[in-house]
Amino acid sequence: MLQAASSPRAMGVATLAAVGVNSIIGAGFYLLPAQYFATAGAWAPIILLVVGVLMFAIALCFAEVGSRFRENGGAYLYVRSAFGPLAGFEIGWVLYVSRVISTASMFAALVMLLEVTTGRSLDVVATAAVVVPMATVIAAFSVVGGRTNAGLLTTLAIVKVAPVVLLIVVALPALDPVALVPAQPLTWHAVAAAAAMGMFSYAGFENLAIPAGEARDPQRDVPRALVTSLAAGVVLLVGANAVAIGLVPDLALSRLALGDAAGAVFGPTGWWAIAATAILAVVGSNAGALLANSRLLQSLADQGDIGAWFGRRSARYGTPVVAIAVSTVLVVALTLTGTFQSLVVLAVGTRVLVYLSVALASIRLRRAERTGAAPAATYRMPAAPLVLAIVVLGCAGILAQMTLPQAVAIGASLVVGLVLFGAQRLPRRASQPTPP
């Protein structure tokens, strides 16, 4: 196992937090405010705040469990340690599928942003001309890893957050409070739909735990980065949606709501500044996502749950070159074929399943620690019973709102994972000698 703590290329708290922020402040941050408003009206910031409380509780669970480990893997490693190889592989598998689909959707969002800014529709050839070189460059940074990739992620996080912070700070005092007062009652269907979108927007902060093996001090730095990135995400998402509601007429029809909000404050220059920032934000999200995707696949290989070939490292950088290449090819293929659109319903449901599993793992590992069967935690979540109750009830509530096609899709992905797990284990058992 690569011991990042001794590597001069290891990532610190700021870089890990940048991975989380890059995942939150991505395509959904810029493209979903109109859908939030169309679904829930002026209730949208309130729902986002409530979902933010749930996600913060989830972050505390990740922080405690993550403080026990120094290896790559994130949720997969945590669940595997708590409940065994099969449960861990199922969570790792559905998380990997979800991450690849989400990353492909972010590349598609990048194409959509280019269409909005240029006023032209991009065909498959033009889309390939954008996606393939960009994915190749991002993959190259992921191979180099360490400080070089850290510099890219941190710089993109700063560049994408600064204009949004400026917009919120300047616009909030000028908003008409009446515009932020909900004018109509909210139906349960609207709450469930907006909450699911909210979870999609927040999702990804946990990506920073996956490459923990490349951190300087993962048991200390991962918990700090998790809490920091999620707290920043809550403030920015709630503030940005409030600004959009207060400044953009016919918000439900806007194609780039935060750009229109910036245009109302700063004029055309503001619109273009946010449009450029949105494009950089999606690039940053893709960089962080590919880093997490490949390290998750590497972790599956390191634990022997898939072929060891997937975990092969670069001799020079120590990074998982095969996992990076495989993840990049899958993302590009899904983006260009558009097949990810039929699978994107997996994204929220599988992520909620992962979050719930990590919360349950935190309970199991606390018990195992008392008997010496689990590594000691260097961070303890405050008010653990309350935090765990919020996570379990919140995740169960969102899962209960899934449609039948979503439930079937998630079930199918779990079955595929079970087949893959069995296919990897059966040859190993067959090769073992039969006891006398």
Side-chain angles (χ1 to χ4, degrees):
M1 183 68 63
L2 180 65
Q3 294 298 320
S6 61
S7 171
R9 295 178 178 274
M11 297 183 289
V13 175
T15 303
L16 290 169
V19 174
V21 170
N22 274 317
S23 298
I24 296 172
I25 313 302
F29 184 86
Y30 291 94
L31 298 175
L32 285 180
Q35 283 82 353
Y36 282 128
F37 186 77
T39 301
W43 290 99
I46 299 172
I47 294 174
L48 280 170
L49 182 59
V50 172
V51 175
V53 171
L54 169 61
M55 298 302 291
F56 197 79
I58 292 169
L60 293 177
C61 293
F62 269 85
E64 177 172 315
V65 182
S67 74
R68 300 179 185 274
F69 300 95
R70 303 185 65 85
E71 299 88 1
N72 287 348
Y76 156 68
L77 178 64
Y78 308 156
V79 176
R80 192 182 196 277
S81 299
F83 300 109
L86 176 57
F89 179 78
E90 286 283 30
I91 290 301
W93 167 249
V94 297
L95 180 58
Y96 183 73
V97 170
S98 175
R99 290 303 317 143
V100 169
I101 294 168
S102 296
T103 308
S105 71
M106 286 188 286
F107 272 103
L110 173 64
V111 173
M112 183 176 134
L113 284 168
L114 292 175
E115 290 178 338
V116 170
T117 53
T118 63
R120 296 180 179 180
S121 179
L122 301 182
D123 58 17
V124 174
V125 175
T127 297
V130 171
V131 171
V132 173
M134 184 161 293
T136 303
V137 170
I138 291 174
F141 272 96
S142 194
V143 168
V144 172
R147 291 178 181 174
T148 304
N149 197 44
L152 172 67
L153 294 172
T154 304
T155 300
L156 287 172
I158 293 171
V159 169
K160 73 203 289 188
V161 167
V164 176
V165 171
L166 177 62
L167 172 62
I168 293 173
V169 169
V170 172
L172 276 179
L175 295 182
D176 181 2
V178 175
L180 299 177
V181 176
Q184 56 188 12
L186 195 61
T187 66
W188 177 247
H189 175 75
V191 172
M197 284 192 293
M199 183 160 279
F200 180 80
S201 292
Y202 286 116
F205 76 93
E206 75 281 1
N207 286 348
L208 67 90
I210 295 176
E214 295 172 45
R216 279 197 293 265
D217 187 351
Q219 290 172 297
R220 181 198 67 180
D221 295 345
V222 168
R224 294 180 180 180
L226 282 163
V227 173
T228 299
S229 62
L230 203 279
V234 172
V235 172
L236 292 171
L237 269 169
V238 173
N241 277 269
V243 166
I245 291 172
L247 292 178
V248 181
D250 299 323
L251 176 58
L253 302 178
S254 175
R255 296 190 67 189
L256 186 57
L258 294 188
D260 293 338
V265 177
F266 302 109
T269 301
W271 190 94
W272 281 105
I274 290 296
T277 302
I279 292 173
L280 288 174
V282 176
V283 173
S285 295
N286 284 330
L290 182 57
L291 176 72
N293 297 352
S294 58
R295 272 51 172 187
L296 176 57
L297 194 59
Q298 169 207 327
S299 186
L300 289 167
D302 288 345
Q303 298 295 337
D305 291 336
I306 59 173
W309 179 77
F310 289 100
R312 184 177 298 176
R313 274 35 169 219
S314 162
R316 179 175 180 182
Y317 299 109
T319 51
V321 288
V322 173
I324 292 169
V326 170
S327 298
T328 302
V329 170
L330 288 175
V331 166
V332 170
L334 285 173
T335 305
L336 296 181
T337 61
T339 55
F340 76 92
Q341 293 175 348
S342 62
L343 300 173
V344 77
V345 292
L346 285 169
V348 174
T350 51
R351 201 60 64 86
V352 174
L353 189 62
V354 170
Y355 294 155
L356 182 58
S357 298
V358 170
L360 296 176
S362 71
I363 300 173
R364 181 71 173 267
L365 291 172
R366 277 193 170 200
R367 294 175 179 172
E369 182 183 347
R370 298 191 191 107
T371 63
T378 60
Y379 170 83
R380 297 285 183 185
M381 71 178 91
L386 175 61
V387 170
L388 290 168
I390 291 173
V391 175
V392 172
L393 292 175
C395 290
I398 292 177
L399 286 173
Q401 299 304 311
M402 285 193 308
T403 64
L404 181 59
Q406 287 174 322
V408 170
I410 292 174
S413 69
L414 291 171
V415 170
V416 171
L418 183 61
V419 172
L420 291 174
F421 183 83
Q424 176 67 13
R425 295 278 168 159
L426 284 177
R428 189 180 307 169
R429 290 182 179 179
S431 64
Q432 293 176 349
T434 303

